[in-house]
């Protein structure tokens, strides 16, 4: 029997704890820096505390894991008997996490395949689950990478933010796009495209933006068997209401996840985020 392939991701996948445990997925955390204090996502800082810091206009930035953190993770996988690792991460356009993983993979004691999924949140999480399922089925590293890339290619992520200012501050959207939104007093709908955030539509009110988000996701789901995730930051009622409307509208919905984003995404979007990920199986 060949040695198993270990699956590694980072803390921006926001996978449910039970899924991580079931598939033995290892998570390497990013950090959030509030003022001059670096805090580990998932254990030392919450999205709510980041939202509060942003509202108080404190300095909030994020930081990739150090290559040594990945190196230690890969060594631990080898010590546990893995024959190889597939390490899947958020878009390299957003973070140096992919680069750090590649640096560590070069000197790892076992083969490591590092994948830039071009995604974040459950748009990363669904490809990670596809990889884990392929690994559980005895797939080779090539099989596992192919499964993850295929799922990522089919996955779409759309989101609404109350203001583009936080994305502009963090360099995740251009100043011209942010200025356009504020100057026209419109509510932006955005999409992840080719690993980047693109302004998709502009609508006049928050309620219309949420209704339009619902329409877009339902249309994207169509008659496919799909998984959907709804993310939010400090907007649980709005997120659960959207999820229930999607449950009623999407005929072949398999799994529906609702969760608050972690501190890293929260640092760049600000409070009021509402996101929906649709991922055909």
């Amino acid at each position: 029997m060949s040695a198993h392939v270990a699956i590694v991701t980072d803390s921006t996948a926001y996978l449910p704890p039970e899924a991580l445990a079931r598939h033995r997925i290892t998570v390497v955390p990013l950090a959030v820096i509030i003022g001059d204090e670096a805090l580990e996502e998932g254990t030392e800082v919450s999205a709510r505390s980041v939202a509060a810091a942003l509202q108080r206009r404190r300095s909030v930035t994020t930081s990739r894991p150090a290559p040594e953190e990945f190196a230690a993770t890969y060594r631990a996988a080898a010590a546990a008997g893995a024959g190889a690792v597939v390490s899947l991460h958020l878009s390299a356009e957003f973070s140096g996490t992919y680069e750090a993983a590649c640096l560590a993979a070069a000197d790892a004691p076992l083969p490591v395949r590092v994948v830039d999924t071009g995604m974040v949140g459950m748009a990363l999480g669904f490809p990670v689950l596809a990889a884990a399922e392929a690994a559980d089925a005895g797939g080779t590293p090539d099989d596992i990478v192919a499964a993850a890339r295929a799922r990522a290619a089919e996955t779409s992520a759309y989101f609404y933010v109350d203001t583009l200012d936080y994305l502009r501050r963090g360099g995740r959207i251009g100043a011209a796009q942010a200025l356009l939104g504020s100057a026209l007093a419109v509510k932006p709908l955005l999409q992840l495209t080719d690993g980047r955030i693109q302004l998709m539509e502009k609508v006049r009110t928050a309620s219309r933006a949420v209704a339009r988000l619902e329409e877009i996701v339902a249309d994207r789901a169509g008659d496919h068997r799909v998984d959907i995730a709804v993310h939010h930051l400090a907007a649980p009622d709005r997120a659960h209401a959207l999820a229930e409307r999607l449950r009623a509208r999407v005929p072949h919905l398999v799994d529906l996840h609702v969760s608050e984003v972690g501190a890293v995404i929260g640092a760049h979007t600000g409070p009021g985020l509402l996101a929906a990920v649709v991922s055909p199986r």
Side-chain angles (χ1 to χ4, degrees):
M1 182 175 175
S2 61
H4 73 280
V5 178
I7 304 299
V8 174
T9 190
D10 60 69
S11 58
T12 68
Y14 304 137
L15 283 161
E18 58 272 18
L20 296 173
R22 182 169 67 252
H23 295 293
R24 296 171 297 165
I25 299 167
T26 301
V27 175
V28 177
L30 278 73
V32 174
I33 304 163
I34 300 177
D36 58 2
E37 185 178 17
L39 302 164
E40 188 176 276
E41 181 174 44
T43 58
E44 297 178 340
V45 62
S46 70
R48 293 296 179 96
S49 60
V50 165
L54 289 169
Q55 289 169 332
R56 295 195 302 271
R57 302 196 69 81
R58 294 191 65 193
S59 170
V60 179
T61 58
T62 59
S63 177
R64 73 177 192 179
E68 176 52 32
E69 293 182 63
F70 282 111
T73 298
Y74 302 153
R75 289 194 297 268
V85 171
V86 174
S87 198
L88 305 112
H89 301 292
L90 79 162
S91 172
E93 295 285 344
F94 299 157
S95 167
T97 300
Y98 170 77
E99 179 187 21
C102 289
L103 290 170
D107 295 321
L110 76 177
V112 179
R113 296 283 299 277
V114 184
V115 179
D116 173 8
T117 66
M119 295 292 182
V120 72
M122 279 298 292
L124 163 60
F126 287 129
V128 172
L129 288 177
E133 289 162 3
D136 291 345
T140 66
D142 283 348
D143 296 332
I144 294 164
V145 170
R149 285 181 171 156
R151 191 76 188 266
E154 292 297 319
T155 296
S156 300
Y158 311 96
F159 60 107
Y160 159 79
V161 289
D162 284 330
T163 172
L164 293 170
D165 191 45
Y166 298 112
L167 287 167
R168 179 194 59 77
R169 286 187 213 171
R172 267 60 182 185
I173 196 166
Q177 288 181 304
L179 181 62
L180 177 66
S182 60
L184 297 179
V186 297
K187 297 298 183 180
L189 285 173
L190 303 114
Q191 180 178 12
L192 281 180
T193 303
D194 298 327
R196 299 181 180 184
I197 297 170
Q198 301 292 338
L199 185 61
M200 184 173 62
E201 293 185 13
K202 302 181 290 292
V203 293
R204 287 293 180 183
T205 66
S207 60
R208 180 55 189 151
V210 174
R212 183 67 184 124
L213 182 63
E214 177 187 338
E215 291 171 4
I216 291 167
V217 172
D219 289 346
R220 175 69 182 87
D223 291 326
H224 301 288
R225 294 180 72 248
V226 298
D227 297 327
I228 289 176
V230 176
H231 290 308
H232 71 92
L233 178 55
D237 293 345
R238 190 158 60 178
H240 283 284
L242 174 61
E244 289 310 306
R245 292 195 301 272
L246 288 171
R247 190 188 300 277
R249 287 189 67 165
V250 177
H252 302 296
L253 179 61
V254 181
D255 285 328
L256 177 62
H257 304 266
V258 182
S259 66
E260 189 161 47
V261 296
V264 169
I265 288 184
H268 293 294
T269 62
L273 165 74
L274 189 63
V277 176
V278 55
S279 184
R281 287 197 173 220

